[in-house]
Each structure stands twice: as C-alpha cells, then as structure tokens.
Amino acid sequence: MKTHPRPLSPHLQVYKLHTKVTSMLSITFRVFGAVLMTAGTFFFLLWIVAAAMGESAFAAIQGFYGSWFGYLVLFGLTVVLFYHLTNGLRHLLWDTGFGFDMPTLRKTGAVAIGSAVVLSVLAWIAGLAAV
C-alpha cells in the first residue's frame, strides 16, 4: 500500500508569534497566572512550614530568601505578580468594551509591561529601604 504525504494541520510553528504582540501577551498572562499559583504558593508554604518547624529551619529559609538567588527568584515572582495584575486590569477594560482596536491593544500591552517593571522596582526599593 502506497502512502501519500499529507499536509500537517497548522500549529503554533506556522504562526510568527514574535510579531503577534497581543497573542504573546495573552499567552504570558495565562502562563504567569499558573506560575503565580504554583511557585507563589510553594514559596509561601515553604516559609510558613519552616516557621512552624522551628527557629533553625526558619533561619535556613530566611537565609535562602536573603541570598542573591533568593532575591532573584523573589524579584521574578514580583514582576510576574505585577504583570498579571496590570494585564488583568487591561482585561477588565476589555470587559467594558474599551480597547479592541489594534493600536490601542498595542499601547495597553506596552503600558502593562512597562508598569509591571516600574511597580516591581518601586516595590523592591520600598521593601529594601524598610529593612
């Protein structure tokens, strides 16, 4: 029996996602929501369980969170949190019917990314100044 090459169904590789800003913002919004749910919950529970286990366990976790790698992880989670927040506000604007034309979609996407970075840096400046 002779087989004929058949066309493959279109998948993500046929789309130029790097040029589709709104698609990438939508995908990252969902991915970052999952990251917040899993990683955020994990790091919070790790901290709480260490506090419940005793002073030495809590000091070890605090030492990890205070290391350069811990700061890097926590800063990344802060960026993810603020990006998810600002993009969620963007989605709320869409629920009112605002911002569905392409220029506005691109502008609000840029505002969401920029404000997430600015809010993260401001939160870390305020947090480190309080220490």
Side-chain angles (χ1 to χ4, degrees), residues 83-111:
Y83 174 75
H84 197 71
L85 172 74
T86 55
N87 209 4
L89 293 173
R90 185 174 171 235
H91 279 260
L92 283 175
L93 286 174
W94 290 350
D95 289 342
T96 66
F98 171 76
F100 285 113
D101 56 306
M102 286 310 287
T104 306
L105 283 171
R106 288 191 180 100
K107 287 176 189 171
T108 57
V111 167

Side-chain angles (χ1 to χ4, degrees), residues 18-115:
H18 64 280
T19 62
K20 309 288 185 199
V21 175
T22 55
S23 299
M24 289 308 296
L25 290 174
S26 178
I27 291 168
T28 55
F29 178 64
R30 287 164 176 76
V31 169
F32 283 177
V35 167
L36 278 175
M37 182 183 68
T38 55
T41 302
F42 173 76
F43 283 112
F44 178 71
L45 288 177
L46 186 64
W47 186 60
I48 293 295
V49 169
M53 288 179 65
E55 196 172 316
S56 63
F58 186 71
I61 292 301
Q62 286 292 95
F64 169 72
Y65 287 165
S67 69
W68 69 268
F69 185 71
Y71 273 17
L72 184 67
V73 169
L74 293 174
F75 183 77
L77 280 174
T78 307
V79 172
V80 166
L81 173 72
F82 280 121
Y83 174 75
H84 197 71
L85 172 74
T86 55
N87 209 4
L89 293 173
R90 185 174 171 235
H91 279 260
L92 283 175
L93 286 174
W94 290 350
D95 289 342
T96 66
F98 171 76
F100 285 113
D101 56 306
M102 286 310 287
T104 306
L105 283 171
R106 288 191 180 100
K107 287 176 189 171
T108 57
V111 167
I113 293 170
S115 59

